[in-house]
Amino acid sequence: MINRNRFSSKGTGMRVSRRRILQTTSALTGVGLLASMPTRLLADTFDEMSDQWTSADIDWRAQEGSTIVLNAVQHPWTDAITPLVPLFTELTGINVDIQTQSETEYTAELPVKLGAGNPTPDVYMVWAIGQAITAGWLEPLDGFYGNSQLSDAAWWNDDDLFPSARSFQTWSDGVRYLMPITAESQILFINQPLLEDKGLAVPTTMEGLMDTAMALHSDDVAGIAMRAKSTGDSTWPAGGFIFTYGGAIIDLDGNVVINSPEAVSAMATYGGLLKNAGPVGISSYQWVECLNDFMAGAVAIGCDSSNFATDIANPDKSVAAGKTVYATLPQAGDMPIKPNMWHWNAGINSNSANKDAAWLFLMWAESLPTCLLSSAAGLATPRASAWASQAFQDRFGAQAADTALASLKAGDGDLFKATWFHPKGPQILDAFGIALNQIATGASDAKAAMDAAAAKIESDLAG
Amino acid sequence: MNSSAGRDRRRFVLLMLTPATVLLLGLTLVPFLVSLAFSFSNLSLVTPDDFAYIWFENFGRMFESPEFWNAVRITVVFTIAAVAVELVLGVGIAALLHNETRAVPALRLIYLLPLAITPVAAVFTFRIMLNPSLGVFNYLLKQIGLPPQDWLGTPGMALTTLVAVDAWQWTPFILLIAAGGLAAMDEEPLEAAQMDGAGPFEIFFHHTLPMLYPYLAVAVVFRSIDAFKTFDIIFVLTGGGPGIATRTLNLLAYKQGLEFLEMGYAAAIAIVMLIMTIIFSQVFLRRINMFRPKAAL
């Protein structure tokens, strides 16, 4: 049984080697197993792993007896972290009330709660970062990082976080408000047997992508599917096309450049791919339709989040399991590729009454030992060590992991942040989503649609 | 009754009415007044500290916005189309079911089922069925040799599909009211018309339908108000697209309020929707004068 008293003071000071962590986690074969573990086995797991957390010079029991509310979206991170939370409670004596909602419910309800100054949730997944920081809904984290009772920089090992994840934490005022919890990048996934049947290679240029998609397109299988629904959250893959063509939506100086020649060319390619080789009904395609079609074998090529690899590799869900080759976004001319990227982040409610307990939760949830456990379930965490672990490579797929990692390194976090972190990001992306939809359906050509989007964004930003 | 007993009775009635009155005021009047106050302000949850009353600026901005007038047009088209289809189908089915057969109880149950299903669950099922590549509708079309359709892909098709899904869900409501009206109807005028040699269509259009008007008026007002503020079907199936072809007023208010957090502007849209609803229902009921039963003969 677990002896709570041994956590009553600061950590033991014992340093745990990366090798030891890897040995422990590889023995666990994944959090999927952990999720179904009976209580006794969970306690055993805790006994096995506890020193990896207690080796930190952190007073984990400082907030013993408190309860925090975690508001989360239905998401792989939530699925991976939920079964691990009892380990946190054992470690700290802090109870965690996890409230999970669909993304639609979440983004509709949480702003109203936070806007009304509600003290709960204490910790939440942050969906519109610019909005949340501008509105003052996030507690700055720098103070916690500097608190010797609640933080141990050497144990935390900030360098292990991907540079892009670190850049996501920091707002333009230089303050850290966010804790990155996932890492995903835009990649291509291609049905390999279909590619081989046609004797084609993985495309490395945009022209090659168009030719390949057209060649694979038939009455039964669409050549390519990418998001095209007329909503702001459909714009993420198209953003990667624009960056790769050397364009931007909002440039680093805050100018609206969505109708620049580079952006228009990128969207002409994006729309051309979907018009010529996309499935019927592309107008209503969000990421879920793209993923489902690919997993059902109804689409030959997809271009979306690397996180899809876990589902694609699951033979219970996907006929493309074991038959998919992953690749980075193709080049446009001789310009470097800049696929889109994303880190989900969690933050502390600035009105929370349990900020220290909330911080301890974030420290624990994104620590290397916890990331190793969650990555064993296939979660793409923001820690490089977790990506290198055998358990993650087995679950996610080594080739998918290598491709996603290469894409993450190629992505331009600053370009992404200029748009997606903008205080009026939702308005900007809404106008972009309308243009994207009109281009993909042929309702408008790329130039006219992007000009209209630029005018709408200018008007929204001026208003 | 002496005065003391009268006072006691008044107190008792007041006491009994108080909870309902407080609830009603708390749940309807207070939110309305708060919305009204917001509509005259620049309240944005992103910059709550900049709160100021800007009076009619939100309304001016709205009336100058092509997006608003586009949403008005789509909302009106959707409402008229949906209510018209539901009215025709609902009254038609009710009239057919009125001539009792042994299958009627089962048929009535089947027709009423859509009303009993949680709307969002039903709409998500439609979203799967309407999926162009994996959905059952296109599968059936392919089975009979027809090309697959892009049900939500073009402005016209998307609006038609939304009307069809709304009709599937709400035709039973009209059916229920029309069936109630038919059941309560005095059969004598109809029998007299039959004796005079009128055919079934003549009887239906010249006698049954006029006598149903009061019931249908209620149904049309209820359904029009409801269709005017339809949200779930449109949000789940098209999200307002393609482009902004199905972005109705309610969806526009949702986007402004809950996506862009511009609560003042969103409240102004909601207030305009409320005024439009009140004007429509008052004008409709007064002009058509449907609450006065018409003589059939």
Side-chain angles (χ1 to χ4, degrees):
Chain A
M1 201 49 213
I2 299 155
N3 178 4
R4 286 169 183 268
N5 293 331
R6 65 181 160 158
F7 308 121
S8 59
S9 60
K10 283 193 170 188
T12 59
M14 185 180 83
R15 296 288 164 206
V16 179
S17 70
R18 187 167 160 247
R19 171 174 294 198
R20 182 153 178 227
I21 291 171
L22 294 175
Q23 280 170 347
T24 310
T25 52
S26 60
L28 286 171
T29 69
V31 182
L33 189 63
L34 199 64
S36 57
M37 280 180 186
T39 312
R40 193 189 59 76
L41 196 48
L42 202 63
D44 291 346
T45 307
F46 185 80
D47 282 341
E48 189 94 7
M49 295 210 41
S50 61
D51 56 357
Q52 295 172 23
W53 292 295
T54 56
S55 63
D57 191 17
I58 293 173
D59 184 0
W60 290 109
R61 307 296 287 189
Q63 296 296 315
E64 185 174 0
S66 55
T67 298
I68 57 170
V69 175
L70 164 66
N71 216 172
V73 179
Q74 284 165 359
H75 183 274
W77 180 77
T78 317
D79 296 341
I81 211 72
T82 300
L84 300 177
V85 163
L87 300 177
F88 172 72
T89 302
E90 289 290 352
L91 176 69
T92 62
I94 298 168
N95 292 304
V96 183
D97 177 8
I98 304 174
Q99 297 175 358
T100 308
Q101 291 170 299
S102 73
E103 195 163 341
T104 307
E105 281 178 285
Y106 188 84
T107 54
E109 187 182 314
L110 198 54
V112 179
K113 251 191 205 174
L114 295 170
N118 205 313
T120 58
D122 300 287
V123 187
Y124 60 97
M125 287 171 78
V126 185
W127 72 104
I129 291 159
Q131 268 185 354
I133 294 174
T134 311
W137 297 337
L138 285 167
E139 182 71 12
L141 300 182
D142 288 327
F144 295 108
Y145 276 109
N147 184 332
S148 60
Q149 192 191 20
L150 302 176
S151 193
D152 176 353
W155 172 83
W156 172 253
N157 189 9
D158 216 31
D159 292 341
D160 193 36
L161 293 171
F162 290 125
S164 56
R166 291 204 301 272
S167 87
F168 267 50
Q169 288 186 282
T170 311
W171 185 239
S172 54
D173 57 5
V175 175
R176 281 182 286 190
Y177 290 92
L178 302 158
M179 181 68 81
I181 57 176
T182 67
E184 47 195 294
S185 58
Q186 182 181 10
I187 60 171
L188 286 181
F189 27 96
I190 307 171
N191 188 311
Q192 196 162 20
L194 291 175
L195 201 64
E196 286 169 357
D197 281 352
K198 297 275 181 185
L200 297 168
V202 171
T204 55
T205 64
M206 286 294 179
E207 293 76 17
L209 178 61
M210 179 71 85
D211 294 342
T212 308
M214 297 274 282
L216 296 178
H217 190 63
S218 69
D219 287 345
D220 298 323
V221 179
I224 187 166
M226 298 185 287
R227 305 184 201 184
K229 197 169 179 177
S230 181
T231 54
D233 50 4
S234 292
T235 56
W236 188 76
F241 272 66
I242 291 179
F243 301 154
T244 295
Y245 269 80
I249 301 151
I250 303 292
D251 69 14
L252 298 181
D253 297 321
N255 301 310
V256 179
V257 291
I258 195 171
N259 57 343
S260 67
E262 294 84 4
V264 171
S265 296
M267 291 311 296
T269 302
Y270 194 91
L273 280 164
L274 295 178
K275 270 186 293 185
N276 297 319
V280 176
I282 192 67
S283 171
S284 53
Y285 269 55
Q286 243 290 355
W287 66 264
V288 68
E289 284 81 10
C290 297
L291 175 61
N292 285 345
D293 275 18
F294 187 82
M295 291 197 302
V299 156
I301 304 173
C303 179
D304 212 295
S305 166
S306 50
N307 270 2
F308 288 9
T310 311
D311 282 331
I312 291 171
N314 183 347
D316 294 336
K317 288 183 178 177
S318 166
V319 299
K323 299 174 188 165
T324 301
V325 61
Y326 299 91
T328 56
L329 200 62
Q331 268 189 292
D334 54 3
M335 278 177 288
I337 64 160
K338 290 185 180 177
N340 218 340
M341 57 193 301
W342 172 246
H343 296 280
W344 264 102
N345 288 270
I348 298 175
N349 180 358
S350 55
N351 288 309
S352 164
N354 301 298
K355 287 175 189 162
D356 286 356
W359 168 256
L360 285 174
F361 176 76
L362 289 179
M363 268 272 113
W364 169 84
E366 297 314 310
S367 66
L368 178 55
T370 313
C371 280
L372 285 166
L373 285 173
S374 57
S375 67
L379 181 73
T381 71
R383 286 195 173 270
S385 294
W387 279 62
S389 70
Q390 193 57 50
F392 176 70
Q393 297 264 332
D394 289 346
R395 187 74 175 79
F396 198 78
Q399 204 246 334
D402 290 346
T403 307
L405 210 50
S407 281
L408 264 178
K409 286 177 184 163
D412 187 331
D414 290 333
L415 277 180
F416 173 87
K417 284 165 69 176
T419 300
W420 269 265
F421 280 26
H422 196 286
K424 290 204 171 181
Q427 284 96 320
I428 296 167
L429 296 176
D430 183 63
F432 183 18
I434 292 166
L436 155 67
N437 180 269
Q438 289 173 330
I439 297 165
T441 55
S444 179
D445 68 64
K447 177 84 175 88
M450 297 303 258
D451 279 345
K456 178 75 171 55
I457 294 168
E458 295 275 16
S459 147
D460 284 339
L461 296 188
Chain B
M1 191 184 288
N2 61 35
S3 64
S4 164
R7 260 201 312 277
D8 284 350
R9 185 177 157 72
R10 273 199 299 279
R11 259 190 221 139
F12 177 74
V13 170
L14 208 64
L15 196 70
M16 290 297 104
L17 284 176
T18 301
T21 310
V22 168
L23 265 180
L24 196 68
L25 291 179
L27 294 176
T28 58
L29 192 64
V30 172
F32 167 72
L33 291 176
V34 171
S35 292
L36 190 65
F38 282 175
S39 72
F40 293 121
S41 79
N42 66 351
L43 177 63
S44 163
L45 292 185
V46 181
T47 51
D49 295 340
D50 298 341
F51 180 87
Y53 281 103
I54 53 172
W55 303 112
F56 289 94
E57 253 182 60
N58 282 330
F59 295 92
R61 179 182 153 200
M62 189 192 316
F63 295 137
E64 283 173 9
S65 157
E67 204 180 5
F68 169 75
W69 290 111
N70 180 66
V72 170
R73 186 181 59 79
I74 292 160
T75 309
V76 170
V77 170
F78 174 80
T79 304
I80 292 174
V83 176
V85 170
E86 288 156 21
L87 192 66
V88 170
L89 289 177
V91 173
I93 295 169
L96 290 173
L97 288 177
H98 187 58
N99 298 320
E100 269 191 60
T101 68
R102 269 192 293 178
V104 161
L107 285 175
R108 198 169 281 158
L109 183 71
I110 290 167
Y111 286 129
L112 291 181
L113 271 180
L115 268 188
I117 298 173
T118 310
V120 168
V123 179
F124 268 104
T125 310
F126 267 102
R127 181 169 156 176
I128 295 165
M129 293 194 297
L130 290 165
N131 182 295
S133 47
L134 303 174
V136 69
F137 289 127
N138 274 351
Y139 172 78
L140 292 174
L141 285 183
K142 279 185 199 167
Q143 293 302 304
I144 56 172
L146 293 173
Q149 295 299 309
D150 187 358
W151 302 103
L152 303 166
T154 60
M157 195 68 167
L159 202 58
T160 308
T161 306
L162 293 177
V163 167
V165 174
D166 194 75
W168 173 84
Q169 176 110 56
W170 291 107
T171 296
F173 176 77
I174 307 261
L175 189 157
L176 208 59
I177 292 180
L182 287 170
M185 196 176 284
D186 182 4
E187 295 281 340
E188 269 184 30
L190 308 180
E191 285 165 9
Q194 203 172 8
M195 299 268 288
D196 288 347
F201 284 102
E202 205 177 342
I203 292 174
F204 180 76
F205 284 108
H206 292 154
H207 303 280
T208 309
L209 212 48
M211 288 198 289
L212 267 182
Y213 276 174
Y215 302 96
L216 299 185
V218 174
V220 166
V221 169
F222 280 3
R223 270 310 299 140
S224 299
I225 291 171
D226 216 30
F228 190 76
K229 55 188 176 66
T230 299
F231 179 78
D232 41 13
I233 290 174
I234 303 171
F235 184 72
V236 173
L237 291 182
T238 66
I244 51 170
T246 58
R247 190 173 283 187
T248 55
L249 280 171
N250 217 5
L251 218 65
L252 186 64
Y254 169 84
K255 279 203 172 280
Q256 292 294 337
L258 293 173
E259 274 187 30
F260 308 159
L261 307 181
E262 302 284 347
M263 291 298 178
Y265 190 56
I269 297 172
I271 293 294
V272 168
M273 285 181 70
L274 179 71
I275 292 169
M276 289 169 79
T277 308
I278 292 170
I279 291 174
F280 157 77
S281 47
Q282 290 302 312
V283 168
F284 178 80
L285 290 175
R286 283 178 192 203
R287 276 188 72 93
I288 313 271
N289 201 16
M290 279 190 175
F291 277 122
R292 198 172 62 201
K294 294 183 176 159
L297 286 171

